[in-house]
Amino acid sequence: MELRHLEHFLAVADTGSFTRAAARLHVVQSGVSATVRALERELGSELFDRSGRHVTLTAAGKAFQPRAQDTLDAARAAKDAVHQVQGALHGTVTVGTLTAIDVVDLPGLLAELHAEHPGVTVRLRAAMTGSAGLAQHLREGGLDVAFLALPGPRPSDLDTRLLATAELAVYVPGSHPLAGEHRATLARLAEFPFVDTPVGFGSRTVVDQAFAAAGVEREVTVEVANVATAVDFVRAGLGIAFLADRLVPDSSGLHVVQVADADLCWRLTVATVAARHPSAATRAFLDLLHERHPTPVTPQG
């Protein structure tokens, strides 16, 4: 049994698919299938049920999964220990990031990390499905750490730390019928079309949940993956938008309307998988992030 067998097994277990596991491992699907089959022959038991549309763990696979993860973690810890004795930290950290994240000076953070640990490589990944997609990639092992804007209680399978919060208000053009109002209910706001991020993005989820709780339907006519560009579509008269004030450095020609019957707050966290021990390289990234952001900040425009 080789570490490669365990890596391939865990990738399939995490993703529920030989195809997705192969993409994550950057190998051909037939190679993953052959490796898992060889592992099953060695163990004398099938680890996956392949009869349905999705690959699921058998009882033997469920028993084997935590031991396989512990073995890989131990092997990685052993390698990290040798590197630390040598006085040099090596490894790769794959970081999931949002399309608009200026709360954290990510370029500055990575420059400082490189200066302290030149042997550490950082790969940045974004998801067109926003925080929901990043959280899924994190769970599947495609990411080591992710910046997430997930509303509601902390997911039980993730370790998260709050970095920043921001209140959301509605921005409208100066010529808009709402421009003369300082406060408006969700029902009043729903009379007009919206510019928003796609479903799955943190801010979109916060707003959708507020309208659903109020029993009010709204129409999103323009979706933009980079929330920082939403204000340009508002200025063009294509809709109104919920935004944090720091995303609107220049509010000329715009009017801000506060929500009268709901508190909408965007929260940025940094997350890792609770059951997966971070590598030394990942811990170095998280430690440096904590030094720069020891307590949550409330962004101001």
Side-chain angles (χ1 to χ4, degrees):
M1 187 183 302
E2 302 175 7
L3 294 178
R4 173 174 58 91
H5 292 99
L6 304 183
E7 290 173 344
H8 287 203
F9 162 76
L10 289 171
V12 177
D14 287 342
T15 63
S17 164
F18 283 89
T19 301
R20 290 195 293 271
R24 177 174 132 183
L25 296 166
H26 304 290
V27 299
V28 296
Q29 179 179 335
S30 59
V32 176
S33 298
T35 301
V36 172
R37 283 294 188 191
L39 180 61
E40 290 176 323
R41 284 195 299 270
E42 181 174 349
L43 293 172
S45 179
E46 289 193 351
L47 301 173
F48 294 104
D49 181 354
R50 302 166 172 82
S51 61
R53 294 183 58 186
H54 301 286
V55 178
T56 58
L57 288 166
T58 62
K62 291 178 181 177
F64 185 68
Q65 184 181 23
R67 278 74 176 183
Q69 186 65 63
D70 289 344
T71 301
L72 279 185
D73 288 342
R76 185 171 55 189
K79 185 184 296 185
D80 288 342
V82 172
H83 290 158
Q84 289 172 351
V85 169
Q86 294 172 338
L89 187 62
H90 295 273
T92 299
V93 184
T94 306
V95 181
T97 183
L98 306 176
T99 52
I101 174 175
D102 62 349
V103 175
V104 176
D105 177 15
L106 202 50
L109 177 68
L110 298 187
E112 187 173 347
L113 181 67
H114 179 72
E116 293 184 12
H117 306 289
V120 172
T121 299
V122 177
R123 297 172 179 166
L124 299 180
R125 298 288 186 269
M128 293 307 295
T129 48
S131 290
L134 290 174
Q136 186 60 32
H137 293 322
L138 183 63
R139 293 184 175 100
E140 293 177 351
L143 301 173
D144 297 306
V145 59
F147 293 102
L148 304 176
L150 295 175
R154 175 182 68 84
S156 60
D157 59 338
L158 300 180
D159 283 335
T160 63
R161 185 170 70 83
L162 184 64
L163 296 175
T165 62
E167 298 297 324
L168 299 178
V170 180
Y171 283 75
V172 306
S175 58
H176 195 274
L178 287 172
E181 304 179 26
H182 295 291
R183 295 171 63 83
T185 64
L186 292 174
R188 171 63 171 153
L189 295 172
E191 296 175 12
F192 305 95
F194 277 84
V195 176
D196 211 329
T197 50
V199 173
F201 280 62
S203 57
R204 173 69 179 266
T205 304
V206 169
V207 175
D208 283 350
Q209 289 180 349
F211 276 95
V216 177
E217 294 186 4
R218 65 167 182 150
E219 182 181 10
V220 177
T221 55
V222 177
E223 291 186 346
V224 292
N226 188 338
V227 66
T229 66
V231 67
D232 298 326
F233 292 86
V234 172
R235 280 199 172 93
L238 296 173
I240 62 179
F242 282 94
L243 297 170
D245 57 2
R246 74 175 304 117
L247 291 174
V248 192
D250 178 13
S251 60
S252 58
L254 299 173
H255 182 80
V256 180
V257 180
Q258 301 296 329
V259 182
D261 52 349
D263 294 323
L264 286 80
C265 182
W266 175 87
R267 297 181 300 167
L268 177 68
T269 65
V270 59
T272 56
V273 175
R276 193 177 301 138
H277 299 292
S279 67
T282 301
R283 288 197 301 271
F285 175 88
L286 293 171
D287 290 344
L288 188 57
L289 177 64
H290 184 69
E291 289 178 13
R292 284 174 163 248
H293 296 274
T295 58
V297 298
T298 303
Q300 299 295 326

